[in-house]
Structure formats: C-alpha cells, structure tokens
Amino acid sequence: MSVTRNFVPPPPGKHFERRVPEGDTTERYVCGQCGHIHYTNPKIVVGSVVVCGNRILLCRRAIEPRKGLWTLPAGFLEEHETPLDGARREAMEEACADITVDALLAIYSMTHISQVQLMYRARLDKPEYAAGPESQEVALFAWDEIPWDQLAFPSVRWALEHYRESRDLAAFAPYSNPTA
Amino acid sequence: MSVTRNFVPPPPGKHFERRVPEGDTTERYVCGQCGHIHYTNPKIVVGSVVVCGNRILLCRRAIEPRKGLWTLPAGFLEEHETPLDGARREAMEEACADITVDALLAIYSMTHISQVQLMYRARLDKPEYAAGPESQEVALFAWDEIPWDQLAFPSVRWALEHYRESRDLAAFAPYSNPTA
C-alpha cells in the first residue's frame, strides 16, 4: 500500500465536497447541504518499552498488519484517556502486564500515516505477563536476544535503541525520529 | 457547555449505530449497512511559549472561544504534519512570528475535551511579529506584566509557569498537568 502526503480519505457522507472553507488555508470535507466541516487530524499512538530486570517485553502480533512479527505494547489513544493511562491499558490488553511508567522516552512523528507516537519507558516489577487477544506470544528478551530482523515497525527499533541510550538517565528530553 | 467523560459525538451518518464491535472493548459508531467502524480519537494541539529577550509573546484572541483573552500561539496539528512544524506554523499564522523551537516543554492531557497538548519552548530572535487573522493583538510581556487574570485557558498559565521553572534547564523531562 502506498500512502503519500497527498492521501485524501474518502468523504464521510455523500453530500461532502473537498474545498478550503472560508477563513481556512487547508482543504477539508465540507457538507454541501449544511456547511458542516469534517475535520480529520493525526492520531496518537501510545506505547512503551517495558523492562523486567534487564530483559525487554515484546509481543508477537496476532493481527494484521505485520502479523507474526514482534512489537512493543502500543495502540491508539482512546477518547477521554490520558496518554499514560493509554500506555498502561495497551500493556494490559496486549501483554496482560501491569506496568509502571517511568518516563516519556520518545515522540515519533510518522507523517505519511499521520500518527504521533508517544513512547514511554516502563518497568514490570514481576515477570507476570501473558498473550492478550492481539498477541500470539509475549516474551522477555535480553538485549542480545531481541529478534532484530523480525520487528514489526521501524519505530519499534527506534524505541529500543533510544531506551538503551536513556537507560542510565533519570531526567532527559524525549527522543525523536532518528535523522537518516 | 458541559462536556463530560460520557460525551458521545453525533453519528457521522444516519446508518451509524453506537455499539461495541466484535473483538473490541469500546463503543464505536458502526455502519448498520456495511459494518464500517467510524473511529474517533483525541486531537493533538501544538503550541509554544515564545521568548524574545526576557519577554514572552502572547496573542489576544480574535475568535471564539475566549475571544479577547490572551493565549499562546497554538492550534490543532494538521494531517501529515510533524508537531514541530505545527508549532512553527501556528506561531506564523497567529503572530507572524518565525520561531526557533528549543525543547518540548510540556504534554498536557485535557481528557474532558479529548485533547493532548504538546507545548514547546521557543525563541524569537528579533522582535518581529504582528497579529494574524485569529489574533486581535500580539505583544511581548515581561513576566510581571503578563495579564494573569485575562488568560484564555488554564493550560496557558501552566505552560507559562512551567516555562519559568525550566528556564535554566538545557535538557529536562517535559512537564505535565499540575496535580491539584
């Protein structure tokens, strides 16, 4: 699938047309009948690098995209939810893991899919976890055991590497997309 | 207007019904005809505390809500835009100010309106600015001149206070909502 910067989602209803509303500078879907503007905005993904002892928790995806590959517990922030609560919920849903969030590790901006990812650094005090419905398997990996060639998304690798850089830092500015 | 945690937006079309889709845990709008799920998610606001010398840039709002009150240059992140680019765009649109972003100052979570605010610390190298179409007036204020009783939103005060706390810090963890 090719997603470009010019990707325009389908109209939310048959009366909607694509145009720049008066006083705006960007094309929107505007209802030709009532003038209602249908705004679309980037979505927030929340997730975490969860550490137990010196091992890192990864989940093998049971769903598409990237089914069968390894990822961090992460997902879309829900309405009326704080990012911290969202990161904890995702760890519970995908890995049955009751995590303690320690710091904001990174903010990644995936402009081609209009996502902003807030990735936290977290710990699991006891090695208690299990595969949730979206995971085939959940496991703890020492750094050298991480299946680097079977990671689901580029930002999984970024977050792991940024976790390693930040490991001895108590307070730090969150990392962002690596520059190529 | 009262917005509660149970606020449900109006359906996106007449065939949509509110229910928990199979395999999900949250109520969504689902099309009764084709099963399409209409997801709604929190929106991202990007903005900045912009400093010129030792004065801070504020904009007096020309539009509702809070018309006539003072705010920081901030607004909704657009599709396919990085948060940094969004913060710079908002400063240009609202204050005709070409800012240099220095650090992520804070992440505020406004759950009652499903907003996550990314507020940056930025500087304006020359005092060149002007009111954009959404501002009645733009001005630089020394700390003691800030119109504290005429600020538009609680997070404007939070960001100003967090800016002051962070002023001498080069690298720091971003602030979050003050605990009451």
Side-chain angles (χ1 to χ4, degrees), chain A residues 5 7 12 26 28 40-44 76-83 104 107 109 111-112 114 116 172-174, chain B residues 5 7 12 26 28 40-44 76-80 82-83 104 107 109 111-112 114 116 172-174:
Chain A
R5 287 185 64 90
F7 172 75
T26 301
R28 317 279 181 191
T40 58
N41 296 88
K43 290 194 196 303
I44 302 169
F76 290 111
L77 185 65
E78 295 282 4
E79 297 270 44
H80 310 298
E81 186 176 53
T82 70
L104 178 65
I107 299 185
S109 179
T111 55
H112 61 299
S114 280
V116 174
F172 57 96
Chain B
R5 286 184 65 90
F7 172 76
T26 301
R28 316 280 180 191
T40 57
N41 295 88
K43 290 192 197 304
I44 302 169
F76 290 110
L77 185 65
E78 295 282 3
E79 297 271 43
H80 309 298
T82 70
L104 178 65
I107 300 185
S109 178
T111 54
H112 61 298
S114 280
V116 174
F172 57 96

Side-chain angles (χ1 to χ4, degrees), chain B residues 54-75:
Chain B
N54 60 359
R55 291 186 299 162
I56 294 169
L57 183 140
L58 294 175
C59 307
R60 204 150 73 85
R61 290 175 65 82
I63 54 172
E64 295 295 352
R66 311 290 185 191
K67 186 173 168 178
L69 299 182
W70 292 89
T71 192
L72 299 168

Side-chain angles (χ1 to χ4, degrees), chain A residues 76-78 81 84-94:
Chain A
F76 290 111
L77 185 65
E78 295 282 4
E81 186 176 53
L84 270 179
D85 286 343
R88 285 189 285 248
R89 175 183 51 73
E90 289 291 343
M92 184 54 74
E93 284 180 8
E94 299 186 354

Side-chain angles (χ1 to χ4, degrees), chain B residues 2-39:
Chain B
S2 163
V3 179
T4 74
R5 286 184 65 90
N6 299 318
F7 172 76
V8 173
K14 66 181 176 181
H15 299 301
F16 282 80
E17 54 198 53
R18 193 84 186 159
R19 62 180 171 84
V20 178
E22 198 180 319
D24 201 339
T25 55
T26 301
E27 274 199 349
R28 316 280 180 191
Y29 278 113
V30 183
C31 180
Q33 293 199 321
C34 71
H36 171 76
I37 302 171
H38 176 81
Y39 290 99

Side-chain angles (χ1 to χ4, degrees), chain A residues 153-171:
Chain A
F153 307 105
S155 58
V156 174
R157 172 185 288 267
W158 302 349
L160 290 169
E161 289 174 347
H162 287 150
Y163 161 73
R164 193 167 160 92
E165 282 183 45
S166 82
R167 210 166 36 173
D168 299 324
L169 303 174

